[in-house]
Amino acid sequence: IRQVDKYLSGQKGSYFQKSNKFSIEGEVVVSSNSVSWLLNPDKKKSFENESLKNSVVNPFRLTCQKLEFDGTGRRLQAQGPLVIIQPDQSIQALQLAWQDESGEVTVQGPVSLVRNDGMHFKTQTLTFNIQKESFQAHEKIESKFRFKKKRA
């Protein structure tokens, strides 16, 4: 499936017009110039957190085994293993669920988030709340940071 701002592929796809749902299975790839197409238009303009703002406007590539989208309920689910790659970070997990109304994105795993600034974060469940510009980790949390040397 090619659209102006995104590309989706897989081995098998189904669309159900009455329920406005589609699914793609088998070696699924989703790539786009940004994830802003998933967001409420008002929220796109109002981010205060620079890191989150960059994540929303940066290109991304998602690979997984199954992707389901409910256009009426504005919900997206991906089952993996899955990998999300952006220029400044990558996330590996087993499942992803996104709900537009609440603004929550939940990845379950084990989950591994690696940023180019040296931060590495592992947990079982990681929830991003786009509306509140926050995230919360649950169970088996491990983080590593790289500190920059202060120049004299």
Side-chain angles (χ1 to χ4, degrees):
I1 300 170
R2 285 190 191 274
Q3 295 181 331
V4 174
D5 57 348
K6 58 190 156 296
Y7 169 81
L8 296 90
S9 69
Q11 295 176 338
K12 177 184 173 185
S14 302
Y15 175 66
F16 306 97
Q17 188 173 6
K18 281 187 177 182
S19 61
N20 193 21
K21 295 180 182 179
F22 79 83
S23 68
I24 301 175
E25 297 180 45
E27 300 178 23
V28 177
V29 175
V30 179
S31 58
S32 179
N33 294 332
S34 74
V35 295
S36 62
W37 54 274
L38 286 171
L39 302 175
N40 177 319
D42 294 334
K43 187 59 185 171
K44 290 181 203 179
K45 300 172 187 173
S46 65
F47 285 114
E48 293 179 21
N49 181 303
E50 284 298 317
S51 178
L52 184 57
K53 188 184 299 186
N54 290 337
S55 292
V56 169
V57 298
N58 277 337
F60 84 99
R61 179 182 170 97
L62 164 69
T63 58
C64 62
Q65 289 304 307
K66 185 174 185 179
L67 181 77
E68 298 175 306
F69 182 72
D70 175 351
T72 304
R74 306 272 308 150
R75 290 185 297 272
L76 178 100
Q77 293 186 333
Q79 297 171 3
L82 63 89
V83 178
I84 300 169
I85 298 173
Q86 290 190 288
D88 61 341
Q89 65 186 355
S90 66
I91 299 173
Q92 295 182 3
L94 294 178
Q95 296 180 349
L96 176 142
W98 166 77
Q99 172 57 260
D100 183 44
E101 189 173 325
S102 67
E104 286 194 352
V105 178
T106 301
V107 286
Q108 296 181 311
V111 177
S112 175
L113 183 146
V114 178
R115 290 191 352 192
N116 290 351
D117 64 4
M119 195 221 19
H120 188 175
F121 194 83
K122 292 182 179 181
T123 186
Q124 272 306 113
T125 303
L126 187 59
T127 301
F128 300 91
N129 187 304
I130 295 168
Q131 306 296 344
K132 296 178 182 176
E133 300 187 35
S134 65
F135 75 94
Q136 188 172 29
H138 310 271
E139 300 178 57
K140 301 179 185 176
I141 302 164
E142 176 184 323
S143 63
K144 296 178 185 177
F145 297 89
R146 183 175 13 168
F147 294 96
K148 293 181 181 180
K149 289 184 180 180
K150 188 174 181 180
R151 295 183 186 197

PDB file of all heavy atoms in Angstrom, residues 106-128:
ATOM      1  N   THR A 106       1.533   1.877  23.954  1.00  0.00           N
ATOM      2  CA  THR A 106       2.103   0.919  24.883  1.00  0.00           C
ATOM      3  C   THR A 106       2.879  -0.129  24.105  1.00  0.00           C
ATOM      4  O   THR A 106       2.345  -0.717  23.164  1.00  0.00           O
ATOM      5  CB  THR A 106       0.997   0.230  25.727  1.00  0.00           C
ATOM      6  OG1 THR A 106       0.286   1.237  26.449  1.00  0.00           O
ATOM      7  CG2 THR A 106       1.587  -0.768  26.702  1.00  0.00           C
ATOM      8  N   VAL A 107       4.131  -0.332  24.485  1.00  0.00           N
ATOM      9  CA  VAL A 107       4.932  -1.405  23.906  1.00  0.00           C
ATOM     10  C   VAL A 107       5.229  -2.408  25.012  1.00  0.00           C
ATOM     11  O   VAL A 107       5.508  -2.029  26.149  1.00  0.00           O
ATOM     12  CB  VAL A 107       6.230  -0.893  23.242  1.00  0.00           C
ATOM     13  CG1 VAL A 107       5.932  -0.212  21.928  1.00  0.00           C
ATOM     14  CG2 VAL A 107       7.006   0.032  24.135  1.00  0.00           C
ATOM     15  N   GLN A 108       5.089  -3.688  24.676  1.00  0.00           N
ATOM     16  CA  GLN A 108       5.299  -4.748  25.654  1.00  0.00           C
ATOM     17  C   GLN A 108       6.330  -5.714  25.124  1.00  0.00           C
ATOM     18  O   GLN A 108       6.476  -5.871  23.919  1.00  0.00           O
ATOM     19  CB  GLN A 108       3.987  -5.477  25.939  1.00  0.00           C
ATOM     20  CG  GLN A 108       2.964  -4.564  26.592  1.00  0.00           C
ATOM     21  CD  GLN A 108       1.674  -5.278  26.888  1.00  0.00           C
ATOM     22  OE1 GLN A 108       1.125  -5.954  26.039  1.00  0.00           O
ATOM     23  NE2 GLN A 108       1.196  -5.127  28.116  1.00  0.00           N
ATOM     24  N   GLY A 109       6.991  -6.387  26.022  1.00  0.00           N
ATOM     25  CA  GLY A 109       8.101  -7.149  25.536  1.00  0.00           C
ATOM     26  C   GLY A 109       8.487  -8.391  26.256  1.00  0.00           C
ATOM     27  O   GLY A 109       7.610  -9.122  26.653  1.00  0.00           O
ATOM     28  N   PRO A 110       9.800  -8.426  26.310  1.00  0.00           N
ATOM     29  CA  PRO A 110      10.707  -7.387  26.749  1.00  0.00           C
ATOM     30  C   PRO A 110      10.870  -6.254  25.734  1.00  0.00           C
ATOM     31  O   PRO A 110      10.832  -6.486  24.542  1.00  0.00           O
ATOM     32  CB  PRO A 110      12.038  -8.114  26.958  1.00  0.00           C
ATOM     33  CG  PRO A 110      11.933  -9.360  26.153  1.00  0.00           C
ATOM     34  CD  PRO A 110      10.488  -9.690  26.042  1.00  0.00           C
ATOM     35  N   VAL A 111      11.043  -5.046  26.282  1.00  0.00           N
ATOM     36  CA  VAL A 111      11.181  -3.824  25.485  1.00  0.00           C
ATOM     37  C   VAL A 111      12.605  -3.301  25.653  1.00  0.00           C
ATOM     38  O   VAL A 111      13.121  -3.253  26.763  1.00  0.00           O
ATOM     39  CB  VAL A 111      10.188  -2.733  25.966  1.00  0.00           C
ATOM     40  CG1 VAL A 111      10.388  -1.445  25.190  1.00  0.00           C
ATOM     41  CG2 VAL A 111       8.763  -3.223  25.872  1.00  0.00           C
ATOM     42  N   SER A 112      13.202  -2.891  24.550  1.00  0.00           N
ATOM     43  CA  SER A 112      14.527  -2.276  24.575  1.00  0.00           C
ATOM     44  C   SER A 112      14.459  -0.997  23.762  1.00  0.00           C
ATOM     45  O   SER A 112      14.089  -1.019  22.593  1.00  0.00           O
ATOM     46  CB  SER A 112      15.567  -3.233  23.981  1.00  0.00           C
ATOM     47  OG  SER A 112      16.822  -2.595  23.890  1.00  0.00           O
ATOM     48  N   LEU A 113      14.811   0.130  24.377  1.00  0.00           N
ATOM     49  CA  LEU A 113      14.862   1.426  23.706  1.00  0.00           C
ATOM     50  C   LEU A 113      16.309   1.897  23.741  1.00  0.00           C
ATOM     51  O   LEU A 113      16.914   1.964  24.807  1.00  0.00           O
ATOM     52  CB  LEU A 113      13.952   2.430  24.407  1.00  0.00           C
ATOM     53  CG  LEU A 113      13.842   3.809  23.771  1.00  0.00           C
ATOM     54  CD1 LEU A 113      12.440   4.370  23.967  1.00  0.00           C
ATOM     55  CD2 LEU A 113      14.852   4.784  24.310  1.00  0.00           C
ATOM     56  N   VAL A 114      16.879   2.183  22.584  1.00  0.00           N
ATOM     57  CA  VAL A 114      18.261   2.650  22.496  1.00  0.00           C
ATOM     58  C   VAL A 114      18.264   3.967  21.743  1.00  0.00           C
ATOM     59  O   VAL A 114      17.750   4.049  20.628  1.00  0.00           O
ATOM     60  CB  VAL A 114      19.154   1.625  21.752  1.00  0.00           C
ATOM     61  CG1 VAL A 114      20.578   2.148  21.639  1.00  0.00           C
ATOM     62  CG2 VAL A 114      19.122   0.277  22.454  1.00  0.00           C
ATOM     63  N   ARG A 115      18.837   4.999  22.375  1.00  0.00           N
ATOM     64  CA  ARG A 115      18.935   6.305  21.718  1.00  0.00           C
ATOM     65  C   ARG A 115      20.377   6.572  21.310  1.00  0.00           C
ATOM     66  O   ARG A 115      21.309   6.066  21.932  1.00  0.00           O
ATOM     67  CB  ARG A 115      18.437   7.406  22.656  1.00  0.00           C
ATOM     68  CG  ARG A 115      16.952   7.333  22.872  1.00  0.00           C
ATOM     69  CD  ARG A 115      16.326   8.497  23.557  1.00  0.00           C
ATOM     70  NE  ARG A 115      17.224   9.491  24.099  1.00  0.00           N
ATOM     71  CZ  ARG A 115      16.845  10.450  24.919  1.00  0.00           C
ATOM     72  NH1 ARG A 115      15.604  10.529  25.301  1.00  0.00           N
ATOM     73  NH2 ARG A 115      17.713  11.322  25.375  1.00  0.00           N
ATOM     74  N   ASN A 116      20.549   7.399  20.305  1.00  0.00           N
ATOM     75  CA  ASN A 116      21.887   7.722  19.814  1.00  0.00           C
ATOM     76  C   ASN A 116      22.718   8.517  20.815  1.00  0.00           C
ATOM     77  O   ASN A 116      23.929   8.582  20.672  1.00  0.00           O
ATOM     78  CB  ASN A 116      21.803   8.488  18.492  1.00  0.00           C
ATOM     79  CG  ASN A 116      21.318   7.618  17.365  1.00  0.00           C
ATOM     80  OD1 ASN A 116      21.184   6.407  17.503  1.00  0.00           O
ATOM     81  ND2 ASN A 116      21.040   8.224  16.224  1.00  0.00           N
ATOM     82  N   ASP A 117      22.089   9.115  21.822  1.00  0.00           N
ATOM     83  CA  ASP A 117      22.846   9.881  22.824  1.00  0.00           C
ATOM     84  C   ASP A 117      23.445   8.979  23.906  1.00  0.00           C
ATOM     85  O   ASP A 117      24.023   9.458  24.864  1.00  0.00           O
ATOM     86  CB  ASP A 117      21.975  10.964  23.452  1.00  0.00           C
ATOM     87  CG  ASP A 117      20.794  10.419  24.248  1.00  0.00           C
ATOM     88  OD1 ASP A 117      20.660   9.181  24.391  1.00  0.00           O
ATOM     89  OD2 ASP A 117      19.984  11.236  24.726  1.00  0.00           O
ATOM     90  N   GLY A 118      23.296   7.651  23.736  1.00  0.00           N
ATOM     91  CA  GLY A 118      23.891   6.718  24.682  1.00  0.00           C
ATOM     92  C   GLY A 118      22.929   6.145  25.696  1.00  0.00           C
ATOM     93  O   GLY A 118      23.287   5.243  26.447  1.00  0.00           O
ATOM     94  N   MET A 119      21.700   6.633  25.750  1.00  0.00           N
ATOM     95  CA  MET A 119      20.738   6.089  26.689  1.00  0.00           C
ATOM     96  C   MET A 119      20.238   4.737  26.171  1.00  0.00           C
ATOM     97  O   MET A 119      19.903   4.603  25.008  1.00  0.00           O
ATOM     98  CB  MET A 119      19.550   7.018  26.900  1.00  0.00           C
ATOM     99  CG  MET A 119      18.768   6.610  28.114  1.00  0.00           C
ATOM    100  SD  MET A 119      16.964   6.597  28.192  1.00  0.00           S
ATOM    101  CE  MET A 119      16.252   6.596  26.667  1.00  0.00           C
ATOM    102  N   HIS A 120      20.198   3.757  27.061  1.00  0.00           N
ATOM    103  CA  HIS A 120      19.679   2.428  26.746  1.00  0.00           C
ATOM    104  C   HIS A 120      18.736   2.054  27.874  1.00  0.00           C
ATOM    105  O   HIS A 120      19.107   2.095  29.036  1.00  0.00           O
ATOM    106  CB  HIS A 120      20.827   1.434  26.652  1.00  0.00           C
ATOM    107  CG  HIS A 120      20.408   0.086  26.157  1.00  0.00           C
ATOM    108  ND1 HIS A 120      21.296  -0.910  25.915  1.00  0.00           N
ATOM    109  CD2 HIS A 120      19.194  -0.420  25.845  1.00  0.00           C
ATOM    110  CE1 HIS A 120      20.656  -1.982  25.484  1.00  0.00           C
ATOM    111  NE2 HIS A 120      19.388  -1.698  25.443  1.00  0.00           N
ATOM    112  N   PHE A 121      17.528   1.687  27.518  1.00  0.00           N
ATOM    113  CA  PHE A 121      16.474   1.473  28.503  1.00  0.00           C
ATOM    114  C   PHE A 121      15.810   0.136  28.215  1.00  0.00           C
ATOM    115  O   PHE A 121      15.444  -0.136  27.070  1.00  0.00           O
ATOM    116  CB  PHE A 121      15.466   2.617  28.363  1.00  0.00           C
ATOM    117  CG  PHE A 121      14.500   2.736  29.489  1.00  0.00           C
ATOM    118  CD1 PHE A 121      14.847   3.397  30.646  1.00  0.00           C
ATOM    119  CD2 PHE A 121      13.233   2.185  29.381  1.00  0.00           C
ATOM    120  CE1 PHE A 121      13.935   3.518  31.683  1.00  0.00           C
ATOM    121  CE2 PHE A 121      12.331   2.305  30.408  1.00  0.00           C
ATOM    122  CZ  PHE A 121      12.682   2.974  31.572  1.00  0.00           C
ATOM    123  N   LYS A 122      15.661  -0.712  29.243  1.00  0.00           N
ATOM    124  CA  LYS A 122      14.985  -2.004  29.086  1.00  0.00           C
ATOM    125  C   LYS A 122      13.892  -2.123  30.133  1.00  0.00           C
ATOM    126  O   LYS A 122      14.064  -1.690  31.272  1.00  0.00           O
ATOM    127  CB  LYS A 122      15.964  -3.163  29.262  1.00  0.00           C
ATOM    128  CG  LYS A 122      16.993  -3.273  28.173  1.00  0.00           C
ATOM    129  CD  LYS A 122      17.888  -4.476  28.411  1.00  0.00           C
ATOM    130  CE  LYS A 122      18.916  -4.610  27.324  1.00  0.00           C
ATOM    131  NZ  LYS A 122      19.773  -5.803  27.539  1.00  0.00           N
ATOM    132  N   THR A 123      12.770  -2.733  29.742  1.00  0.00           N
ATOM    133  CA  THR A 123      11.662  -2.961  30.659  1.00  0.00           C
ATOM    134  C   THR A 123      10.709  -3.985  30.052  1.00  0.00           C
ATOM    135  O   THR A 123      10.888  -4.394  28.908  1.00  0.00           O
ATOM    136  CB  THR A 123      10.915  -1.636  30.976  1.00  0.00           C
ATOM    137  OG1 THR A 123       9.929  -1.876  31.979  1.00  0.00           O
ATOM    138  CG2 THR A 123      10.263  -1.054  29.742  1.00  0.00           C
ATOM    139  N   GLN A 124       9.700  -4.378  30.783  1.00  0.00           N
ATOM    140  CA  GLN A 124       8.680  -5.294  30.251  1.00  0.00           C
ATOM    141  C   GLN A 124       7.586  -4.546  29.510  1.00  0.00           C
ATOM    142  O   GLN A 124       7.096  -4.993  28.493  1.00  0.00           O
ATOM    143  CB  GLN A 124       8.035  -6.114  31.379  1.00  0.00           C
ATOM    144  CG  GLN A 124       8.740  -7.389  31.725  1.00  0.00           C
ATOM    145  CD  GLN A 124       8.952  -8.305  30.530  1.00  0.00           C
ATOM    146  OE1 GLN A 124      10.087  -8.513  30.131  1.00  0.00           O
ATOM    147  NE2 GLN A 124       7.919  -8.838  29.951  1.00  0.00           N
ATOM    148  N   THR A 125       7.190  -3.395  30.045  1.00  0.00           N
ATOM    149  CA  THR A 125       6.125  -2.591  29.437  1.00  0.00           C
ATOM    150  C   THR A 125       6.507  -1.123  29.521  1.00  0.00           C
ATOM    151  O   THR A 125       6.942  -0.645  30.564  1.00  0.00           O
ATOM    152  CB  THR A 125       4.779  -2.803  30.172  1.00  0.00           C
ATOM    153  OG1 THR A 125       4.456  -4.188  30.156  1.00  0.00           O
ATOM    154  CG2 THR A 125       3.660  -2.012  29.520  1.00  0.00           C
ATOM    155  N   LEU A 126       6.345  -0.422  28.410  1.00  0.00           N
ATOM    156  CA  LEU A 126       6.640   1.004  28.359  1.00  0.00           C
ATOM    157  C   LEU A 126       5.438   1.702  27.745  1.00  0.00           C
ATOM    158  O   LEU A 126       4.991   1.325  26.660  1.00  0.00           O
ATOM    159  CB  LEU A 126       7.893   1.242  27.513  1.00  0.00           C
ATOM    160  CG  LEU A 126       8.479   2.641  27.455  1.00  0.00           C
ATOM    161  CD1 LEU A 126       8.863   3.133  28.843  1.00  0.00           C
ATOM    162  CD2 LEU A 126       9.694   2.647  26.535  1.00  0.00           C
ATOM    163  N   THR A 127       4.887   2.680  28.455  1.00  0.00           N
ATOM    164  CA  THR A 127       3.717   3.404  27.983  1.00  0.00           C
ATOM    165  C   THR A 127       4.081   4.871  27.781  1.00  0.00           C
ATOM    166  O   THR A 127       4.591   5.523  28.691  1.00  0.00           O
ATOM    167  CB  THR A 127       2.551   3.301  28.996  1.00  0.00           C
ATOM    168  OG1 THR A 127       2.237   1.925  29.183  1.00  0.00           O
ATOM    169  CG2 THR A 127       1.320   4.032  28.501  1.00  0.00           C
ATOM    170  N   PHE A 128       3.833   5.359  26.567  1.00  0.00           N
ATOM    171  CA  PHE A 128       4.019   6.771  26.241  1.00  0.00           C
ATOM    172  C   PHE A 128       2.640   7.400  26.207  1.00  0.00           C
ATOM    173  O   PHE A 128       1.742   6.866  25.562  1.00  0.00           O
ATOM    174  CB  PHE A 128       4.650   6.947  24.855  1.00  0.00           C
ATOM    175  CG  PHE A 128       5.994   6.317  24.706  1.00  0.00           C
ATOM    176  CD1 PHE A 128       6.113   5.022  24.251  1.00  0.00           C
ATOM    177  CD2 PHE A 128       7.138   7.035  25.008  1.00  0.00           C
ATOM    178  CE1 PHE A 128       7.356   4.439  24.099  1.00  0.00           C
ATOM    179  CE2 PHE A 128       8.380   6.457  24.861  1.00  0.00           C
ATOM    180  CZ  PHE A 128       8.494   5.150  24.408  1.00  0.00           C
TER     181      PHE A 128
END
